[in-house]
Amino acid sequence: MRGRFDVLQQWYDEPVFRGCAMLNAAAQHHVEAVRAITARHLGRYLELLTGIASRAGAADPHLLGRQLLILLEGATVVAAHHSAVGAGDHARRAALTLLSAARSVSG
């Protein structure tokens, strides 16, 4: 999980970083086709994170996957619109807390 957040922080630190293109498009264009593309993108991301949660032994992998998706997308919004400084690290620490809680529930 650490590597994913390190990559996000590297992306946030790039001078050309402007946030997630998919979410920016969905926020700016309230057209069903754009929203459908965004929903597919987030759905694939949710599948990836749910798989990670499952392999990590979460009691409810879908719930943890959704929480991680909210965390990652939220960190990206904060990095784009507030401050990128430490956003990836803060999100990583929060994700580890969620993961620990999800494991303790299943254990």
Side-chain angles (χ1 to χ4, degrees):
M1 186 123 288
R2 180 181 186 103
R4 180 162 307 283
F5 290 98
D6 291 344
V7 168
L8 281 175
Q9 188 62 57
Q10 289 173 1
W11 179 42
Y12 300 160
D13 290 339
E14 290 179 7
V16 296
F17 173 72
R18 299 291 180 264
C20 174
M22 293 288 186
L23 294 181
N24 290 345
Q28 295 171 9
H29 305 284
H30 301 282
V31 176
E32 189 54 39
V34 173
R35 298 186 69 73
I37 291 168
T38 304
R40 256 193 332 268
H41 164 74
L42 291 174
R44 289 182 185 136
Y45 209 4
L46 178 59
E47 286 177 28
L48 171 73
L49 295 169
T50 300
I52 290 170
S54 180
R55 290 188 298 281
D60 187 342
H62 185 75
L63 174 62
L64 180 57
R66 186 166 165 78
Q67 291 170 335
L68 293 171
L69 177 65
I70 291 167
L71 180 63
L72 290 171
E73 292 298 339
T76 300
V77 169
V78 168
H81 299 284
H82 185 263
S83 173
V85 177
D89 184 52
H90 298 152
R92 178 183 54 80
R93 285 192 253 159
L96 291 173
T97 299
L98 286 171
L99 182 57
S100 178
R103 283 183 180 154
S104 66
V105 168
S106 67

